[in-house]
Amino acid sequence: MPEPARRRRLLILAICCMSLFIVGLDVTIVNIALPSLRTDLDADVSGLQWVIDAYTLVVASLLILGGSLADRFGRRRVFQTGLALFTAGSLLCGVAPTLGWLIAFRMLQAVGGSMLNPVAMSIITNTFTDRRERARAIGVWGGVVGLSMAAGPVVGGLLVASFGWRSIFWINVPIGVAAIVLVAVFVPSSPSRARRLDPVGQVLVLTVLASLTYGLIERFWPGFVVAALALVLLVRHSLTREDPLLDVRLFRRPPLAGATVIAVCAFAALGGFLFLTTIYLQDVRGYSALHAGLYILPMAAMTFVCAPLSGRLVGARGARPPLVIAGVFIGLSALLLTRLTATSPAALLIVAFVLFGIGFGFVNSPITNTAVSGLPIHQAGVAAAIASTSRNTGNALGVAVLGSLVAGAAVWWIVAALGAAIVVLGVASTRAVQDQHVSSTA
């Protein structure tokens, strides 16, 4: 390949990664500030859960729409719009006077964030057309996303200890402004494709995710019923619309379906891990925000080291080896964490965090690469949006489930609620697909 063209591709990759770094950082940096938020804004555990999940739910609900808007209006334009909204939302979060306003501004942040992840992946996929080169680029991207999410508690600890919790939002503003300028200068425009919007599908996607999460956080069982009904309607709507927001037929492809399930599980583990770990370190062990962030530094370091290795392993051997490695190490970490007490030795914490960082470092790249490989290249944005939706959905569910346990919900209630939700949603959606298949073959 010509060297100037290669340099430009790498520059575009760097710009996309810089933009995604602040989004990934924001997913987890807030965790380290939760005790300070609780004191300053008089929030209970449920309120803290909504500070996290209001962001991830909106992002998860709008990611596919973000990919559709990029197809309709062009990738560069939508990417810049997302950066502008995210930057403005961050600035407003930093001056929020109450918990309610903070949650509202977090949702504005999320609207902008939803336009960045799938569009950036579409830009990267269309910039790096060689299969091996694309796998390595996705490995770098996965490393940046994983590193940003894992480094959030560390950076957050430094900021909270030095400038207070509001600074964790202000840090996004100069980076966001710089990214907007760089995208305008270096990222090429893309042809737009006329694609109708699907407001009904968008409302149904939001209803499914929001009602399920609300049911878990507030222990409100009708939320599961609403989620099941909304999912049935979503499946039927998708199968009868010519160009739906979420085409459920895509999940007939095993790579995409498998990547979706793995993403939900892995990021549920991450969301629950960070939510509980930051509370444990500060409330149970009495550490400062900075001290707690430094304890999680080994996890961030191992994620940074392992994510690029995962991308190279995907390019050389496929997605299966890094996914197996990820599952083994995350599982070992979980086993160690079940033994934690208020007086557990520091060595146990560090080993558990290192193991989790290794596992999480290996899981991100194969998820994205498998999802993208499961669809034609012109649907790379859709595949990336689905994978990102799965990540954010898993993160929200992890916070909801484990946060409910911290708030005092009985274990049996959580297990029964999740089991019932899975059974009802699965049966309902399968029945809808079968009904559509029968009507199409009649």
Side-chain angles (χ1 to χ4, degrees), residues 211-262:
S211 56
L212 180 59
T213 304
Y214 184 84
L216 288 169
I217 291 178
E218 304 296 342
R219 301 189 287 281
F220 184 67
W221 67 264
F224 301 108
V225 177
V226 174
L229 293 175
L231 182 59
V232 172
L233 294 175
L234 175 63
V235 173
R236 289 184 178 276
H237 174 75
S238 174
L239 293 173
T240 56
R241 183 181 170 91
E242 181 180 350
D243 195 10
L245 174 74
L246 176 62
D247 189 350
V248 297
R249 288 174 289 246
L250 295 177
F251 292 100
R252 294 175 181 172
R253 297 174 179 264
L256 181 62
T260 299
V261 173
I262 294 169

Side-chain angles (χ1 to χ4, degrees), residues 199-214:
V200 174
Q202 182 59 68
V203 170
L204 290 173
V205 168
L206 179 60
T207 302
V208 170
L209 296 178
S211 56
L212 180 59
T213 304
Y214 184 84

Side-chain angles (χ1 to χ4, degrees), residues 8-10 12-13 122-129 133 188:
R8 186 174 182 86
R9 284 195 287 272
L10 293 176
I12 291 173
L13 174 63
S122 180
I123 292 172
I124 292 172
T125 303
N126 284 274
T127 300
F128 295 89
T129 55
E133 189 180 31

Side-chain angles (χ1 to χ4, degrees), residues 68-235:
S68 299
L69 292 175
D71 290 339
R72 185 179 179 88
F73 299 108
R75 291 187 289 269
R76 184 173 67 182
R77 181 182 301 176
V78 173
F79 200 54
Q80 288 178 299
T81 302
L83 283 168
L85 289 174
F86 184 85
T87 303
S90 298
L91 181 62
L92 291 172
C93 284
V95 298
T98 65
L99 180 66
W101 280 111
L102 176 60
I103 293 173
F105 294 146
R106 287 279 286 165
M107 296 172 71
L108 176 61
Q109 262 191 314
V111 173
S114 68
M115 299 181 185
L116 300 181
N117 204 320
V119 180
M121 179 47 55
S122 180
I123 292 172
I124 292 172
T125 303
N126 284 274
T127 300
F128 295 89
T129 55
D130 178 75
R131 184 182 67 85
R132 288 183 176 272
E133 189 180 31
R134 184 191 306 141
R136 291 173 181 170
I138 291 176
V140 173
W141 172 88
V144 171
V145 174
L147 174 63
S148 65
M149 296 183 71
V154 181
V155 177
L158 291 170
L159 291 173
V160 171
S162 302
F163 307 105
W165 67 264
R166 297 180 186 275
S167 62
I168 66 175
F169 298 108
W170 291 336
I171 191 176
N172 296 330
V173 177
I175 301 176
V177 172
I180 293 172
V181 175
L182 290 173
V183 170
V185 174
F186 295 106
V187 175
S189 59
S190 62
S192 59
R193 180 174 70 89
R195 181 176 181 179
R196 293 182 301 168
L197 299 180
D198 183 10
V200 174
Q202 182 59 68
V203 170
L204 290 173
V205 168
L206 179 60
T207 302
V208 170
L209 296 178
S211 56
L212 180 59
T213 304
Y214 184 84
L216 288 169
I217 291 178
E218 304 296 342
R219 301 189 287 281
F220 184 67
W221 67 264
F224 301 108
V225 177
V226 174
L229 293 175
L231 182 59
V232 172
L233 294 175
L234 175 63
V235 173

Side-chain angles (χ1 to χ4, degrees), residues 2-20:
E3 192 62 25
R6 183 175 186 274
R7 284 200 296 266
R8 186 174 182 86
R9 284 195 287 272
L10 293 176
L11 179 60
I12 291 173
L13 174 63
I15 294 171
C16 290
C17 289
M18 182 181 72
S19 303
L20 290 173

